[in-house]
Amino acid sequence: MIGPRGSRRIDGLQQALRARGLADAQVLDYASLLDEPARALEAIARAPQALVKIESPGEAPALHAALIERGWRRLGEPGPRPHELEHGELAHQHYWYAGFSELLQRLPADAHYLNPPDDIAGMSDKLACQQRFQAHAVAIPPLLGAIDGYDDLRERLRQHACSQVFVKARYGSSGAGVLAYRRNRQGREALYGSAEPVEQAGRLRVFNSLRPRRCSDSRQIAALIDAVAAQGAYLERWIAKPRAPDTAAGHYDLRVIALDGQARQRIARASRSPLTNLHLGNRRFAPEQWLDDEAMRTLETATEHAAQAFARSRMIGFDLIVRDGRGWVLEANAFGDLLLNLHWQGRTPYQDQAWLQTRPSPQPTLEFAHV
């Protein structure tokens, strides 16, 4: 496994391997990979039949800062000071992506990956991912394109005769930088999201908050959208989520894990705000409580169709809306398997990975090996 040492994601898979009676997989730390990139090539070459999992680089602030620095050096632009970022600050995400994607490109293309590096890069660029879905005829919320700030957003809404959109950070994750924007006929605006603006020394800084908030001040709305768009952002039309039968739960969407193209673990995420991410304190429910058989088939069909757009990736997390006999894919997440205590046919996503075998082929069976 390649990932930040001590990550709860890595711990989850190691525990699943032990439960199956296997020894721990060896972990190649991202920090070592940054300092000594040849180590990854050597480790993977020593075990050519090993199955290699690239884990999320999250949960490691020092790594995040290192990837930002790597990114701005790669792009040849005036560098920020990532070491000055505070915990939870949303900044320089375009540099982070440039650094992360460059690191992925250094990995050997011919190794056996759970999810190959170029697919991970493709899913980490949220706009490119949605455009890829479009090319594969996967149903998604209509895209209104990339924006460079608030004025651009207003013009794009005018062009499309649209009054409510999601402003999405192109390189964000876990709802970071996602803003829900509405404007009524009288011109009054409202913005919902977990991004918290803070004025410090005459400069606006944006932080991820665990408490989503609503803003109706047009100047603050413009400043926040400008700050998010400076790191890369795009618009998609706001599709209403279905209302939960338990009206106190609000509205909901769905997270589904696809394994080898088939829908497996799934959870409904309910919220009284436009954001449904579970880390924001929202509630989780079993989809079977709210979806009938036809809706469950729609969920599975939409998931399996979306998985075909990344056919070489074996495990992907998808966020979806299922309503009125239709399914829309909101996002694909190469690191979407962190769903604690969620089972399908008796297995969690990590237990599924511990039991993985290849599709029928002349090659030997692949297991997590000790590289």
Side-chain angles (χ1 to χ4, degrees):
M1 287 187 284
I2 299 173
R5 196 172 297 278
S7 163
R8 57 181 175 159
R9 296 170 176 271
I10 289 177
D11 290 346
L13 184 49
Q14 299 286 40
Q15 290 172 17
L17 290 169
R18 293 171 201 146
R20 194 189 167 194
L22 300 173
D24 286 1
Q26 183 175 330
V27 176
L28 181 64
D29 189 84
Y30 271 121
S32 300
L33 184 57
L34 284 167
D35 295 336
E36 303 174 76
R39 285 192 60 198
L41 306 181
E42 294 169 359
I44 294 171
R46 286 199 302 270
Q49 296 305 319
L51 182 57
V52 181
K53 183 181 185 185
I54 303 169
E55 257 301 355
S56 168
E59 303 182 359
L63 172 60
H64 187 79
L67 291 173
I68 289 173
E69 182 172 355
R70 189 184 191 95
W72 68 254
R73 290 185 185 279
R74 178 189 181 189
L75 297 176
E77 298 180 5
R81 297 179 178 178
H83 60 279
E84 295 182 353
L85 294 180
E86 296 183 22
H87 177 69
E89 185 171 2
L90 184 67
H92 314 309
Q93 288 296 94
H94 53 317
Y95 290 135
W96 172 88
Y97 178 77
F100 183 49
S101 60
E102 194 270 340
L103 186 64
L104 291 172
Q105 290 172 10
R106 288 175 171 261
L107 296 173
D110 57 351
H112 296 290
Y113 292 102
L114 183 73
N115 292 343
D118 55 345
D119 271 10
I120 291 174
M123 284 183 262
S124 298
D125 180 338
K126 302 303 182 183
L127 176 57
C129 180
Q130 294 300 89
Q131 291 169 335
R132 183 166 179 168
F133 283 145
Q134 274 188 323
H136 284 78
V138 175
I140 61 171
L143 293 173
L144 276 61
I147 59 167
D148 58 22
Y150 174 76
D151 291 340
D152 196 9
L153 173 143
R154 292 285 300 273
E155 176 60 21
R156 204 66 57 85
L157 295 186
R158 186 191 66 78
Q159 292 173 358
H160 292 271
C162 182
S163 61
Q164 55 183 27
V165 292
F166 273 94
V167 183
K168 293 196 170 182
R170 182 166 182 169
Y171 311 112
S173 62
S174 301
V178 175
L179 305 168
Y181 173 90
R182 280 180 171 147
R183 177 181 173 86
N184 67 17
R185 293 180 180 178
Q186 290 72 43
R188 289 193 292 272
E189 301 173 293
L191 193 71
Y192 307 80
S194 59
E196 179 180 0
V198 177
E199 286 277 356
Q200 291 185 356
R203 182 166 67 95
L204 182 70
R205 304 178 76 170
V206 181
F207 293 84
N208 290 318
S209 171
L210 295 180
R211 186 181 63 183
R213 61 197 64 223
R214 179 184 185 276
C215 176
S216 59
D217 182 285
S218 290
R219 288 192 304 174
Q220 292 183 9
I221 289 173
L224 188 53
I225 290 175
D226 284 346
V228 171
Q231 306 170 54
Y234 65 99
L235 302 181
E236 68 177 31
R237 193 178 292 270
W238 184 336
I239 293 181
K241 297 179 175 69
R243 181 174 293 279
D246 176 357
T247 56
H251 295 78
Y252 71 95
D253 63 9
L254 301 146
R255 165 62 63 89
V256 184
I257 304 298
L259 173 67
D260 287 340
Q262 302 297 308
R264 284 187 60 81
Q265 295 84 6
R266 67 281 308 262
I267 195 74
R269 310 179 304 179
S271 173
R272 298 186 64 82
S273 83
L275 302 185
T276 59
N277 303 78
L278 294 176
H279 75 282
L280 298 178
N282 295 316
R283 299 169 65 188
R284 54 187 275 176
F285 295 87
E288 293 81 2
Q289 294 179 243
W290 296 343
L291 274 63
D292 60 20
D293 291 345
E294 181 180 354
M296 290 296 287
R297 285 193 295 270
T298 299
L299 176 152
E300 292 171 354
T301 299
T303 300
E304 290 158 12
H305 187 190
Q308 293 172 15
F310 294 94
R312 295 178 302 133
S313 289
R314 304 192 65 180
M315 181 162 283
I316 308 173
F318 292 102
D319 295 341
L320 305 99
I321 291 174
V322 173
R323 197 193 73 219
D324 303 329
R326 296 186 60 189
W328 293 267
V329 177
L330 305 177
E331 181 177 322
N333 190 334
F335 311 120
D337 55 3
L338 183 63
L339 290 173
L340 303 178
N341 303 315
L342 184 63
H343 296 78
W344 182 255
Q345 296 177 342
R347 291 181 187 163
T348 68
Y350 292 132
Q351 289 169 338
D352 271 343
Q353 292 168 60
W355 282 88
L356 269 181
Q357 295 180 341
T358 56
R359 301 182 182 92
S361 75
Q363 296 178 339
T365 296
L366 303 181
E367 302 290 352
F368 281 98
H370 313 298
V371 300

